[in-house]
């Protein structure tokens, strides 16, 4: 199946291709890595690989995987590149929209519960997107170099607009008529 180049990294498998299980080793090319860097606001992404398997589960499917990457984030304080090494395993439960449809009009109920399965749309599972999502979840949302501390600048003593006007008055003028 052709990848969707509007996404940072796309590798689609159809539900009807899974059978007893499907295993994929994904390594995005340089162009896809550049899209991931842009999408996740990274300084660089030297390597990225994911080992994924999809197999039938008690309700739908289970996507098991491991994402390994070497990247650089930008320190939120110094703006220097900060090396990052990711090696994360994960499991995501999947189900088709028909399996979670309500009896009242066929609407899909969306739950924010962590145990709720992800809904598969159009019979397609985008393994590449799941790999990028799990990589993004493993990144530090507020990267900071060791020892880097934010120091609040001192506030000026007088912030009023009249203090500014007072500074503009020529010396020796007392402002009285």
């Amino acid at each position: 199946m052709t990848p969707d180049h509007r996404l940072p990294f796309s590798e689609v498998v159809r539900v009807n291709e899974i059978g007893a299980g499907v295993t994929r080793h994904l390594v995005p090319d340089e162009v896809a890595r550049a899209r991931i860097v842009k999408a996740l606001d990274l300084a660089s992404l030297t390597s990225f690989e994911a080992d994924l398997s999809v197999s039938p589960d008690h309700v739908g499917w289970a996507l098991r995987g491991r994402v390994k990457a070497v990247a650089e984030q930008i320190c939120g304080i110094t703006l220097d590149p900060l090396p990052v090494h990711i090696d994360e395993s994960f499991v995501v439960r999947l189900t088709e929209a028909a399996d979670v449809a309500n009896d009242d009009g066929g609407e899909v109920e969306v739950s924010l519960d962590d145990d709720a399965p992800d809904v598969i749309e159009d019979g397609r599972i985008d393994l590449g997107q799941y790999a990028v999502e799990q990589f993004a979840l493993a990144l530090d949302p507020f990267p900071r170099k060791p020892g880097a501390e934010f120091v609040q600048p001192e506030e000026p003593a007088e912030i009023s607009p009249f203090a500014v006007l007072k500074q503009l008055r020529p010396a020796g003028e007392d402002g009285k008529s």
Side-chain angles (χ1 to χ4, degrees):
M1 177 148 266
T2 60
D4 186 343
H5 292 294
R6 294 170 293 168
L7 300 172
F9 181 48
S10 180
E11 181 73 33
V12 176
V13 65
R14 290 200 154 287
V15 171
N16 62 356
E17 297 172 341
I18 296 172
V22 169
T23 301
R24 296 280 193 276
H25 177 75
L26 306 180
V27 180
D29 62 15
E30 191 174 324
V31 174
R33 282 198 323 269
R35 286 194 304 265
I36 294 169
V37 165
K38 185 176 180 181
L40 300 181
D41 198 22
L42 299 170
S44 69
L45 181 58
T46 307
S47 69
F48 182 98
E49 61 183 84
D51 290 305
L52 306 164
S53 67
V54 183
S55 57
D57 199 26
H58 63 280
V59 176
W61 294 268
L63 169 62
R64 290 177 175 79
R66 182 174 183 186
V67 175
K68 295 192 283 188
V70 176
E72 286 182 322
Q73 287 186 279
I74 301 294
C75 174
I77 295 173
T78 65
L79 302 179
D80 293 333
L82 183 63
V84 178
H85 298 276
I86 302 294
D87 187 348
E88 291 288 324
S89 296
F90 63 92
V91 177
V92 177
R93 305 281 179 226
L94 305 166
T95 188
E96 289 192 88
D99 295 340
V100 293
N102 274 340
D103 291 337
D104 1 318
E107 292 183 16
V108 175
E109 185 178 319
V110 177
S111 170
L112 298 179
D113 184 13
D114 285 343
D115 294 335
D118 282 7
V119 177
I120 299 170
E121 295 180 12
D122 300 325
R124 302 164 27 124
I125 302 170
D126 194 333
L127 301 177
Q129 277 304 103
Y130 275 105
V132 171
E133 177 182 281
Q134 294 301 317
F135 171 57
L137 289 171
L139 291 172
D140 185 347
F142 304 105
R144 182 183 303 181
K145 282 184 110 169
E149 289 186 33
F150 177 73
V151 178
Q152 177 73 29
E154 288 189 31
E155 295 279 336
E158 290 186 51
I159 304 177
S160 88
F162 297 109
V164 174
L165 290 174
K166 187 177 179 183
Q167 291 175 354
L168 296 175
R169 188 173 13 166
E173 231 182 74
D174 64 1
K176 296 180 183 176
S177 337

